[in-house]
Amino acid sequence: MKKDIEYEADIEMLVNSFYSAVKQDDVIGHIFNTIIGDDWSGHLPVMYKFWGSVLLSKPGYTGNPIKKHVELDKIIPVSKEHFERWLLIWNTTVDELFEGEVAELAKTRAGLMANLINIKIESARTGLGLA
């Protein structure tokens, strides 16, 4: 039986495993590899803090993921299919490593975020803004 996501170390394992898969993915890997390159030392700690805040209510994340993704879309267009692939890899990674209430929450929240960010990108493209 797998354990649930409980600690910051669990978040780090999840995030590291997820991005290991993402980097090699033929659908979305190029986006991350183009924007982040070979040095993930800046991105990974931000993701640890983000998911720690989302799943474990840990303080420390101060970013704006919607704004970041809208800005990213101006450099490399991001489609609904990209978000679907991101979510598939995320959910697969969660299921491979964990099970339980927080693991299910991780998948639910990721789905909601992917949908919201996709909607905000589409709104920004059509001039409807980020409101």
Side-chain angles (χ1 to χ4, degrees):
M1 181 173 184
K2 299 174 204 162
K3 67 185 260 353
D4 204 355
I5 300 167
E6 298 178 79
Y7 306 106
E8 290 178 56
D10 297 332
I11 297 288
E12 289 185 22
M13 179 173 46
L14 172 58
V15 168
N16 290 340
S17 297
F18 169 71
Y19 281 113
S20 289
V22 164
K23 289 178 200 179
Q24 298 175 34
D25 186 72
D26 59 347
V27 176
I28 62 172
H30 73 281
I31 297 170
F32 290 87
N33 294 324
T34 298
I35 297 299
I36 299 170
D38 293 330
D39 184 5
W40 286 67
S41 63
H43 186 70
L44 292 175
V46 172
M47 292 298 93
Y48 303 152
K49 287 181 183 178
F50 174 77
W51 286 107
S53 72
V54 169
L55 300 176
L56 303 177
S57 300
K58 297 284 183 183
Y61 179 75
T62 59
N64 184 336
I66 293 172
K67 183 178 178 186
K68 284 283 188 189
H69 286 86
V70 168
E71 291 170 0
L72 165 67
D73 182 63
K74 294 175 184 174
I75 300 166
I76 300 175
V78 183
S79 69
K80 182 178 180 184
E81 291 74 27
H82 292 129
F83 283 103
E84 289 171 351
R85 184 58 163 241
W86 178 91
L87 189 59
L88 174 66
I89 297 168
W90 177 260
N91 288 345
T92 299
T93 305
V94 170
D95 287 341
E96 286 173 351
L97 298 173
F98 301 101
E99 66 182 9
E101 187 176 326
V102 180
E104 290 304 312
L105 181 65
K107 295 186 292 183
T108 300
R109 295 244 171 113
L112 293 170
M113 283 185 282
N115 189 47
L116 176 61
I117 293 170
N118 187 56
I119 289 168
K120 295 295 187 175
I121 286 173
E122 290 296 323
S123 295
R125 285 181 186 162
T126 60
L128 297 177
L130 296 175

